[in-house]
Amino acid sequence: MTITVHYLNNSRAQRILWLLEELEVPYEVVRYERVNLLAPPEFFRVHPLGKSPVIVDGDLTIAESGTIVEYIIAKYGRGKLQPPESGWLDNLYFSHYNEGTLMPLLVWRLILSVTPQRFPFIIRPIAKGICNTLVTGMIDKRLMQNRNLIEDHLKKYPGGWFAGGTEPTTADFLMIFPMEIFVSQTHTPVPESFEVYVKMVHDRPAYKRALEKGGSYA
């Protein structure tokens, strides 16, 4: 049976394609383009929240990246992509930390960066000043704390993967998206270990195949 991935451009869906390619699970991609940064109306016919990614596997429609990753590994992993015993807790922690702590900060930074453009021109400078104050005073400070936490963790495992094994695990399939955001942003320097990690993932044949099937990704 072929899994259908409902794929919104420039979204967290790319990491689902990477996972499917690592496990060589057959899938097809249904692409959607954003409208004003949001999912188009037709995406809401797939899932009522209009959030990407969403997969359809037989009679099941599954949303939320963490749920999808765990489901695919449990059903199709055949023992692969499992953390070593010594990295079990790290895998569990970073799988939940990704969406529970880190991504909300990155999303709020994005929202506050684009919000001023939605205001009338005459008050846009005021809105920009307020949003910039929130970003620098609240968001960026927290992001720096999180950056340091991730940097210290990666030092534990010279091999690179978040659970310390020889292959990616759930934590890596979820953490790659925020790690890509850290590396691509220019407002603050990132540790070399972040760039090494992202390059390690991007150099994997499975990730390259996923990028070919998913299309342009920024």
Side-chain angles (χ1 to χ4, degrees):
M1 184 176 295
T2 298
I3 291 177
T4 299
V5 181
H6 292 273
Y7 183 103
L8 184 64
N9 69 303
N10 296 335
S11 75
R12 304 173 209 192
Q14 181 63 32
R15 54 192 176 181
I16 304 303
L17 303 191
W18 172 34
L19 170 59
L20 290 168
E21 288 290 342
E22 290 283 356
L23 293 176
E24 299 180 327
V25 177
Y27 67 94
E28 62 180 5
V29 177
V30 179
R31 285 186 59 86
Y32 302 81
E33 297 295 323
R34 294 178 182 272
V35 179
N36 295 324
L37 299 179
L38 302 176
E42 55 267 28
F43 205 102
F44 289 83
R45 292 194 287 269
V46 180
H47 190 275
L49 297 182
K51 296 179 65 177
S52 177
V54 174
I55 68 167
V56 176
D57 187 16
D59 295 332
L60 297 175
T61 297
I62 307 171
E64 295 295 341
S65 296
T67 305
I68 294 171
V69 169
E70 291 194 24
Y71 169 82
I72 291 173
I73 292 177
K75 183 172 181 179
Y76 297 102
R78 304 182 301 279
K80 298 179 180 178
L81 310 181
Q82 298 296 321
E85 184 177 352
S86 60
W88 180 86
L89 187 57
D90 285 326
N91 182 63
L92 180 65
Y93 174 77
F94 281 98
S95 294
H96 292 276
Y97 158 83
N98 157 72
E99 295 290 346
T101 298
L102 184 55
M103 281 307 302
L105 291 171
L106 293 170
V107 169
W108 268 111
R109 196 182 200 287
L110 173 62
I111 290 172
L112 290 171
S113 68
V114 301
T115 293
Q117 302 304 316
R118 305 298 179 91
F119 281 83
F121 178 79
I122 192 170
I123 62 173
R124 196 172 297 167
I126 299 174
K128 184 175 182 180
I130 294 172
C131 289
N132 286 346
T133 298
L134 291 172
V135 167
T136 57
M138 297 177 62
I139 304 298
D140 282 352
K141 180 179 179 180
R142 296 291 307 278
L143 282 175
M144 183 63 69
Q145 293 169 342
N146 281 267
R147 192 202 75 167
N148 293 341
L149 180 147
I150 296 169
E151 181 183 17
D152 289 343
H153 178 75
L154 290 177
K155 289 178 182 177
K156 288 173 50 180
Y157 298 129
W161 302 117
F162 272 89
T166 59
E167 60 182 353
T169 62
T170 302
D172 298 290
F173 292 107
L174 293 170
M175 284 295 295
I176 182 56
F177 187 76
M179 293 293 281
E180 289 171 328
I181 294 176
F182 271 118
V183 169
S184 65
Q185 291 180 347
T186 59
H187 58 83
T188 182
V190 296
E192 182 182 0
S193 58
F194 283 44
E195 297 177 344
V196 170
Y197 178 85
V198 171
K199 184 177 187 304
M200 176 177 66
V201 173
H202 287 185
D203 284 346
R204 291 181 71 83
Y207 189 93
K208 293 179 180 179
R209 293 194 302 270
L211 200 60
E212 290 174 0
K213 294 182 180 179
S216 60
Y217 176 62

